[in-house]
């Protein structure tokens, strides 16, 4: 790989953000240009050695893990262009979301929807189906206008809805298995503000009013502790009201005191005595309910310093209320607790073949807990319940599914496999985990 920066810690261990996946690659390289990135792929293709890419490591599943070549994208992370007239932004694969948001601010533009973490890379966000909430606003993958993709042969393919449309359709969420993403062009919208209002509701009232809540709030998020009869509602709606962002004290209280010190305390409590988790969480949730207006990405996202592991399933939106009721019945008998409240979001259906929201409006149910405390039983319990509602797991999070069990849940599964084989016939972009969950070739 002449001319490509090889990291001095080339034989050191790589670990993801949560510590739930790690590997010791034979080589770690950091390309600085598209040509160098393509050369990495061509070298891997010539030698038949697998290759995987690492961004910020925010996938809980071992999507990146490899004992061969690991391509680190942290030096291939620039915003290439912003088109204020066409309302698009083009970025390199390793560009973190916070940098995209900052650049769009300068031009009075924004992405229409996003999740809560802003350090994920552009390629990582779209490759795993990262999503926000709101039935009228799609995931990051659905906001792509075009992409430049490097095939398993090292060839560059430009794709969009009108150029290589089959490739574009599948590669918008391809787990890094349909080619190496080089650049992404996202569609943008005029910059907008979000008003945030927080409140609590009894669980039974939430279930009864769920359709109205989802319809009347642009970006609703529900937090439900499995041991509680109350649900915390985080309602974010688009507004033309003057901005009134939280004060410096309020931001410190919410992001550091509650979001770091408080959550860390809950996780420590879980490790010492799981029976005390409900009490510790109730203390944490006694902070004042928030109400403010700010630029969209500052409301969508907030720092996440406490490291947990998570599992998330997507169910048909019309079944969400029933699924939550069944979880309420089943989870207490699992013999374990989750450290943090279950997080519920909603999304429109889309046409991305491997998207958990493919072909149907969707409700997402996320369980997050301390990585060092027992959680297998409660994760498996939730999987059984949500699987009965035709649940599809989030690709970046923990689950126990295989290609055999996943294929029937995705109507275009075999189309994706055909496209993948045409782009990477020798499977150099496949690691053992993808053999298990995507290609079905694992023993």
């Amino acid at each position: 790989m002449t001319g490509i920066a090889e990291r001095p810690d080339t034989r050191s261990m790589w670990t993801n953000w949560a510590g739930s996946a790690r590997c010791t690659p034979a080589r770690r390289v950091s390309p600085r240009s598209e040509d160098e990135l393509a050369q990495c792929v061509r070298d891997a293709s010539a030698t038949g050695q697998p290759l995987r890419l690492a961004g910020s490591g925010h996938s809980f599943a071992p999507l990146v893990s490899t004992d061969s070549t690991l391509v680190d994208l942290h030096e291939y992370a620039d915003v290439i262009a912003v088109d204020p007239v066409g309302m698009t932004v083009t970025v390199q694969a390793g560009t973190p979301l916070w940098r995209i948001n900052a650049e769009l601010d300068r031009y009075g533009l924004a992405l229409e929807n996003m999740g809560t973490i802003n350090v994920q890379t552009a390629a990582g966000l779209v490759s795993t189906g990262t999503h926000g909430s709101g039935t009228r606003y799609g995931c990051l993958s659905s906001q792509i206008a075009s992409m430049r993709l490097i095939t398993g042969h090292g060839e560059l393919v430009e794709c969009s809805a009108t150029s290589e449309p089959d490739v574009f359709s599948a590669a918008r969420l391809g787990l890094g298995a349909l080619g190496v993403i080089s650049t992404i062009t996202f569609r943008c919208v005029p910059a907008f503000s979000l008003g945030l209002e927080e409140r609590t509701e009894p669980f039974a009232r939430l279930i009864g009013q769920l359709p109205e809540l989802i319809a009347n709030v642009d970006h609703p998020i529900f937090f439900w502790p499995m041991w509680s009869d109350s649900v915390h509602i985080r309602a974010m709606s688009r507004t033309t009201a003057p901005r009134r962002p939280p004060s410096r004290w309020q931001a410190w209280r919410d992001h550091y005191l509650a979001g770091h010190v408080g959550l860390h305390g809950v996780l420590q409590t879980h490790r010492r005595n799981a029976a005390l988790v409900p009490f510790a969480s109730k203390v944490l949730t006694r902070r004042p309910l928030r109400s403010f207006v700010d630029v969209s990405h500052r409301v969508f996202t907030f720092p996440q310093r406490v490291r947990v592991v998570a599992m998330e399933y997507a169910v048909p939106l019309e079944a969400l209320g029933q699924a939550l009721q069944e979880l309420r019945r089943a989870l207490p008998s699992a013999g374990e607790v989750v450290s943090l409240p279950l997080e519920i979001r909603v999304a429109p259906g889309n046409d991305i073949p491997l998207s958990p929201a493919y072909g149907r409006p969707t409700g997402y149910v996320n369980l997050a807990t301390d990585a060092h405390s027992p959680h297998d039983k409660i994760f498996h319990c939730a999987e059984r319940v949500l699987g009965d509602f035709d649940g599809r797991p989030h690709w970046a999070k923990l689950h126990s599914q295989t290609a055999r069990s996943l294929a029937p849940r995705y109507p275009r599964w075999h189309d994706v496999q055909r496209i993948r084989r045409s782009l990477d016939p020798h499977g150099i972009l496949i690691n053992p985990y993808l053999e298990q969950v995507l290609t079905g070739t694992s023993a």
Side-chain angles (χ1 to χ4, degrees), residues 33-375:
S33 68
E34 185 176 71
D35 287 343
E36 290 187 357
L37 182 59
Q39 188 60 51
C40 292
V41 181
R42 286 192 289 269
D43 289 344
S45 178
T47 60
Q49 296 299 309
L51 172 146
R52 293 296 291 166
L53 278 76
S56 61
H58 266 271
S59 292
F60 299 96
L63 287 165
V64 168
S65 298
T66 181
D67 59 5
S68 185
T69 298
L70 185 67
V71 180
D72 189 319
L73 292 172
H74 80 282
E75 294 192 44
Y76 187 63
D78 286 336
V79 175
I80 298 172
V82 177
D83 180 355
V85 177
M87 291 204 297
T88 61
V89 57
T90 301
V91 301
Q92 293 174 333
T95 312
L97 181 59
W98 66 263
R99 186 175 294 171
I100 301 172
N101 289 333
E103 192 68 15
L104 290 178
D105 266 352
R106 296 177 55 214
Y107 291 88
L109 296 174
L111 297 173
E112 72 170 16
N113 198 7
M114 63 189 71
T116 58
I117 300 172
N118 68 0
V119 298
Q120 295 161 303
T121 63
L125 286 164
V126 303
S127 294
T128 57
T130 298
H131 61 89
S133 190
T135 56
R136 296 181 291 277
Y137 308 97
C139 65
L140 270 296
S141 298
S142 70
Q143 298 173 49
I144 299 175
S146 63
M147 304 168 62
R148 287 165 69 92
L149 195 72
I150 301 166
T151 72
H153 293 300
E155 300 169 349
L156 190 65
V157 175
E158 298 198 33
C159 56
S160 66
T162 56
S163 175
E164 302 286 353
D166 286 349
V167 172
F168 177 69
S169 175
R172 287 176 293 169
L173 198 172
L175 307 176
L178 278 73
V180 171
I181 294 174
S182 173
T183 66
I184 304 171
T185 298
F186 291 103
R187 291 186 300 272
C188 303
V189 297
F192 60 97
S193 294
L194 285 174
L196 180 141
E197 298 288 341
E198 294 183 332
R199 68 180 190 273
T200 58
E201 294 279 1
F203 180 87
R205 185 180 298 172
L206 170 76
I207 297 302
Q209 298 178 347
L210 196 56
E212 291 82 5
L213 284 169
I214 291 170
N216 294 333
V217 177
D218 288 325
H219 305 279
I221 306 177
F222 311 103
F223 297 92
W224 166 50
M226 60 169 281
W227 50 82
S228 174
D229 288 329
S230 295
V231 177
H232 179 91
I233 300 174
R234 191 171 195 259
M236 298 174 285
S237 291
R238 292 161 187 243
T239 180
T240 57
R243 292 177 183 169
R244 43 181 183 85
S247 68
R248 184 174 298 182
W249 149 248
Q250 291 170 325
W252 182 85
R253 177 196 65 194
D254 296 334
H255 295 157
Y256 181 75
L257 193 60
H260 177 63
V261 177
L263 290 180
H264 184 70
V266 172
L267 300 187
Q268 290 294 324
T269 299
H270 193 170
R271 295 176 195 179
R272 293 184 172 92
N273 187 344
L276 296 178
V277 168
F279 172 76
S281 295
K282 286 178 183 177
V283 172
L284 179 64
T285 56
R286 284 176 182 167
R287 65 168 174 78
L289 297 176
R290 294 177 297 172
S291 173
F292 61 84
V293 178
D294 206 349
V295 62
S296 59
H297 64 84
R298 294 195 191 112
V299 183
F300 281 135
T301 68
F302 50 85
Q304 187 166 339
R305 299 180 178 91
V306 176
R307 306 195 179 201
V308 296
V309 291
M311 184 198 77
E312 180 173 285
Y313 267 72
V315 300
L317 185 58
E318 67 270 16
L320 178 60
Q322 187 180 353
L324 293 176
Q325 289 177 298
E326 186 58 25
L327 284 172
R328 189 176 187 230
R329 184 198 66 78
L331 290 182
S333 64
E336 295 170 352
V337 299
V338 288
S339 307
L340 305 182
L342 278 68
E343 185 173 342
I344 298 104
R345 297 174 182 246
V346 296
N350 60 48
D351 62 352
I352 304 169
L354 286 184
S355 170
Y358 176 81
R360 65 192 194 192
T362 293
Y364 286 94
V365 182
N366 182 84
L367 288 77
T369 195
D370 176 49
H372 304 286
S373 300
H375 54 267

